[in-house]
Amino acid sequence: MPAALAAGLLLTLGTAHPAAAAEDGLRFDEAIEKITTKAGSSYDLSGGITNGTDRTLDTVYLQIDLDRHFSLSPEHRNCWYTTADATLPVNRVICRIKGPVLPGRSYDLYLGWVSIDRMAEDGRISYSVTADRSEAALPPSARRGDGETLALTERDRVEGRIRPTPPDPHATVSTAVEIGTVHDFSVNEVTLRGKPGDLVKGDFFFVNNGPASSGAVFDDESDNDTAVVAELTLPPALKVVKTPRNCRGSKSKAKGKSAPAVTRYHCWQERTDKSSLMTPGQFEHFPFTFRIGGTDDTPGRISMPDRPEFEYGDDDLSNNSAAIKVDVVGTPTASSTVRAVGALLAAVLALGGGALWLRRRSGAARTTGGDR
């Protein structure tokens, strides 16, 4: 039976356990307990059941519930598939598998590939098996698969190889799926260029670069109008003319009597739905309009708040902050001014030294001439 996992997956298997006694009943006794993978990947899924009863079963019913961002493929013609919706929180698969399923015997199942879409986060896959058709009722929206028939393959011996024997033989078993690289949040560097008095636009972004989605709510409030995702410290040369509606500014006096006040802005997301996801490529946009009000080229900074929500699972923390630069056209920078002053001083010193040498030479000439 195919059971190899896709390359790069971390598979944690439970210890071997003997099959339960005959009175334990029909049970799903083999499933991968834990998988760590990435959004957008697929892996091979297998399982197994044991008939712990003293009866031969003509038909068994298998139910698999998957996180709404997981799906099974290929589909089987003896299975019915239901997509998660407002009433059903999972993607559900119910399969009718013909026997005979003999007493005390164990069987393998190759369930196919589990595909994890790009919006997936950590989730679970749950399995249960029953011989009672009423316990595996089909949802009204279920559709029948059109692939090969899902069948049982008898094992050589009774063996509960992965799943520990549960207190309740009918208990549901599950696989925990952990998404490794969850997301990469970032903010962008901005350089504004113009002459003093010019109006310039600064576009600031808070972006999820993927590869997976993330919950879009970053606070514990009933909504997240106040969930700050970007903090701006403006360069002193910029004066705000127009502010985005989801940003609020404040000023604080810098140390030193002659130091200018520091202008800061806090910008938040405009999502209020707790179930919202921030998908790969999705961003929050904060468009400002500034006036260049001076010649100071000291840069500012945009950064994400120092909170665990923005660090947990982030694949690259180096882009969680960036510079806000100002290039004032036609105005020498501080470094060029220093160079110019240095050159002028050197010229003055050189000129002064030359004049002194000329005066000394002229004086010496007059003295020599007087002695003759």
Side-chain angles (χ1 to χ4, degrees):
M1 179 190 77
L5 297 179
L9 297 182
L10 171 64
L11 173 62
T12 304
L13 302 179
T15 55
H17 293 268
E23 63 271 15
D24 277 352
L26 179 66
R27 68 184 185 279
F28 198 105
D29 66 355
E30 181 178 355
I32 298 167
E33 290 185 344
K34 180 180 177 182
I35 291 174
T36 299
T37 184
K38 292 186 177 182
S41 66
S42 298
Y43 63 90
D44 216 5
L45 188 67
S46 61
I49 64 173
T50 293
N51 182 5
T53 73
D54 58 0
R55 297 176 292 117
T56 297
L57 304 174
D58 294 328
T59 304
V60 295
Y61 298 90
L62 172 68
Q63 178 173 307
I64 307 171
D65 287 346
L66 303 100
D67 180 275
R68 63 174 60 238
H69 297 298
F70 304 165
S71 59
L72 275 176
S73 61
E75 295 185 349
H76 302 282
R77 68 177 65 219
N78 57 331
C79 298
W80 285 259
Y81 298 81
T82 307
T83 303
D85 55 23
T87 59
L88 184 66
V90 294
N91 292 328
R92 177 163 292 171
V93 182
I94 295 179
C95 302
R96 183 175 61 198
I97 306 173
K98 291 184 178 181
V101 181
L102 302 177
R105 305 305 295 266
S106 292
Y107 300 83
D108 285 322
L109 281 166
Y110 172 54
L111 302 172
W113 287 90
V114 173
S115 298
I116 302 176
D117 71 25
R118 291 285 179 181
M119 298 174 62
E121 295 185 55
D122 296 354
R124 302 192 76 84
I125 304 172
S126 300
Y127 323 80
S128 61
V129 63
T130 181
D132 187 347
R133 182 172 184 174
S134 64
E135 294 180 4
L138 295 176
S141 59
R143 58 177 180 80
R144 188 172 184 173
D146 57 2
E148 298 294 327
T149 300
L150 178 64
L152 299 171
T153 302
E154 187 173 348
R155 297 180 194 154
D156 293 337
R157 57 197 177 101
V158 176
E159 186 178 20
R161 287 180 292 181
I162 295 179
R163 181 193 185 190
T165 303
D168 177 2
H170 302 288
T172 299
V173 65
S174 65
T175 295
V177 180
E178 295 183 349
I179 305 300
T181 303
V182 178
H183 54 251
D184 173 26
F185 291 141
S186 69
V187 291
N188 62 313
E189 180 176 300
V190 172
T191 299
L192 303 171
R193 189 171 187 268
K195 301 186 298 296
D198 284 355
L199 291 179
V200 292
K201 292 185 177 181
D203 290 337
F204 301 94
F205 294 88
F206 168 72
V207 187
N208 180 10
N209 298 313
S213 299
S214 171
V217 178
F218 302 106
D219 62 13
D220 297 325
E221 304 295 330
S222 58
D223 57 51
N224 75 324
D225 281 345
T226 57
V228 174
V229 295
E231 298 174 340
L232 283 69
T233 301
L234 298 184
L238 296 181
K239 309 299 178 185
V240 177
V241 175
K242 186 176 180 180
T243 307
R245 64 180 182 178
N246 51 335
C247 293
R248 183 177 297 114
S250 63
K251 286 188 178 182
S252 59
K253 189 66 177 176
K255 294 181 179 179
K257 293 183 179 180
S258 60
V262 178
T263 303
R264 292 186 176 87
Y265 276 83
H266 295 83
C267 301
W268 59 90
Q269 290 184 294
E270 292 189 298
R271 292 183 176 86
T272 57
D273 184 357
K274 281 290 191 180
S275 64
S276 293
L277 287 175
M278 193 172 186
T279 57
Q282 192 170 16
F283 60 85
E284 290 291 341
H285 181 209
F286 308 112
F288 281 78
T289 301
F290 302 103
R291 187 183 302 278
I292 298 180
T295 59
D296 190 339
D297 62 354
T298 303
R301 199 79 185 162
I302 177 173
S303 61
M304 290 154 51
D306 185 15
R307 293 172 57 181
E309 293 91 335
F310 299 111
E311 296 180 2
Y312 174 74
D314 194 328
D315 197 39
D316 183 7
L317 298 179
S318 67
N319 53 19
N320 286 21
S321 65
I324 305 173
K325 301 177 181 178
V326 181
D327 181 8
V328 183
V329 179
T331 302
T333 62
S335 57
S336 63
T337 301
V338 169
R339 288 195 299 270
V341 170
L344 178 60
L345 179 59
V348 169
L349 289 175
L351 180 60
L356 178 61
W357 180 79
L358 286 174
R359 287 197 299 272
R360 286 177 177 173
R361 184 179 181 192
S362 177
R366 285 195 299 270
T367 302
T368 304
D371 289 340
R372 283 199 299 266

